Amino acid sequence: MLPTKDDSNVPHTPGNNGGHNIVVAIRQGDPEAISKLYDQYAGVLFGFINRIVDDPFIAESVLQHSFILIWKGLAMYEPEKERLLTWMLKITMRVSINALPETGTVNKADTGISDLQYLNDAISLVFFKGLSLQDAAEKLEVPLDVLIPKMKKAFKQLDGGLS
């Protein structure tokens, strides 16, 4: 159950429940609430996106597209199941991966390691250690044009399995 106390004057940092009031306000049609949501989360999401796409111009476009999807999807967001930031990061990750160019050909001979281990290592480097895709590719000693299609394929499979 979500807390009912009024925390509208509490500065929001990812991790506290400041997002709950904004979600309620958006659902009730408050015209300023989406701006508040953007102000509170845009910086965190932009940094996350930029690590994936490694291009500020593309990252800005992905951020805008992500916020449109977030705004449209808020009716389906279930706060009792996950934190708002987690839900928003999932959407943002999907949009970011889809924004990457389709390049290269993908086969196991390209990496010399199993697909499962490769993807586990790549995801760990990008999402948990904060490396850009370029840095992760260098650390894994694989070309970037091999990493990108594998990551896209993996996230499309994950997205299909979670739907």
Side-chain angles (χ1 to χ4, degrees):
M1 187 78 178
L2 291 171
T4 56
K5 76 173 191 149
D6 179 17
D7 62 355
S8 58
N9 294 324
V10 176
H12 176 74
T13 56
N16 73 20
N17 285 326
H20 172 67
N21 285 344
I22 293 174
V23 171
V24 170
I26 290 170
R27 288 177 175 171
Q28 293 174 345
D30 180 348
E32 294 178 22
I34 193 70
S35 293
K36 290 178 183 178
L37 182 74
Y38 184 88
D39 291 344
Q40 289 181 356
Y41 289 98
V44 172
L45 295 178
F46 182 81
F48 177 76
I49 294 164
N50 202 39
R51 282 196 329 243
I52 297 170
V53 300
D54 202 25
D55 180 323
F57 181 74
I58 294 172
E60 184 63 37
S61 176
V62 168
L63 181 66
Q64 291 174 8
H65 186 101
S66 296
F67 265 98
I68 290 169
L69 294 176
I70 288 165
W71 176 63
K72 288 180 177 180
L74 274 172
M76 296 182 298
Y77 167 64
E78 300 177 67
E80 61 279 354
K81 290 189 176 182
E82 62 189 334
R83 291 178 45 218
L84 180 61
L85 179 60
T86 304
W87 180 78
M88 292 170 63
L89 284 169
K90 287 178 183 178
I91 292 170
T92 303
M93 179 174 57
R94 210 171 329 155
V95 176
S96 299
I97 295 296
N98 286 334
L100 295 172
E102 292 285 346
T103 58
T105 58
V106 179
N107 63 50
K108 289 182 185 177
D110 290 334
T111 64
I113 57 177
S114 74
D115 278 346
L116 184 59
Q117 182 62 47
Y118 170 83
L119 290 172
N120 184 46
D121 292 346
I123 290 168
S124 178
L125 290 171
V126 172
F127 296 106
F128 300 120
K129 295 196 178 182
L131 272 66
S132 69
L133 284 174
Q134 179 66 47
D135 293 340
E138 289 172 11
K139 186 140 180 110
L140 292 169
E141 298 177 352
V142 297
L144 183 60
D145 64 345
V146 170
L147 177 66
I148 290 172
K150 282 185 176 267
M151 294 282 285
K152 286 182 90 164
K153 182 179 178 184
F155 283 111
K156 284 179 184 177
Q157 288 174 341
L158 278 173
D159 190 37
L162 296 175
S163 301

